[in-house]
Amino acid sequence: MEDLELQVKVSRMLGLAFALSITGLGGIGSFVALVLGLKALRIIKAARGMIGGRWMAWWCILAGAFGTLTITPITVALILRSLK
């Protein structure tokens, strides 16, 4: 894949991951942001400096992990509470 095409792919992936990491979407969005951040970081490392986005990938990984670990249990607890 050409460097420009790969950069566009990673940029789109990280744009979506960033939006999901901010919104959380009940923990599911955070988890998807985490997965996309990890995938983007793997692509960036494999490109050996030819494409950018490392800091954004790390943001998505960290924010996605935080959201997954905090928002998901809260969402589950709220759902279980409403079922009682």
Side-chain angles (χ1 to χ4, degrees):
M1 188 176 281
E2 191 177 307
D3 290 340
L4 181 59
E5 290 176 25
L6 192 56
Q7 180 67 62
V8 169
K9 177 182 176 179
V10 168
S11 294
R12 286 183 179 165
M13 186 185 312
L14 289 174
L16 175 61
F18 179 76
L20 291 172
S21 72
I22 296 295
T23 60
L25 297 175
I28 296 170
S30 296
F31 180 73
V32 173
L34 171 65
V35 171
L36 289 175
L38 289 169
K39 184 176 180 180
L41 188 61
R42 207 171 312 122
I43 292 169
I44 292 165
K45 285 183 178 182
R48 298 180 184 240
M50 298 304 290
I51 62 172
R54 183 179 308 270
W55 289 108
M56 180 67 84
W58 276 110
W59 162 266
C60 295
I61 292 166
L62 295 174
F66 178 77
T68 300
L69 294 174
T70 58
I71 296 172
T72 304
I74 293 169
T75 303
V76 170
L78 290 173
I79 290 170
L80 292 175
R81 187 179 192 188
S82 70
L83 294 175
K84 287 184 181 180

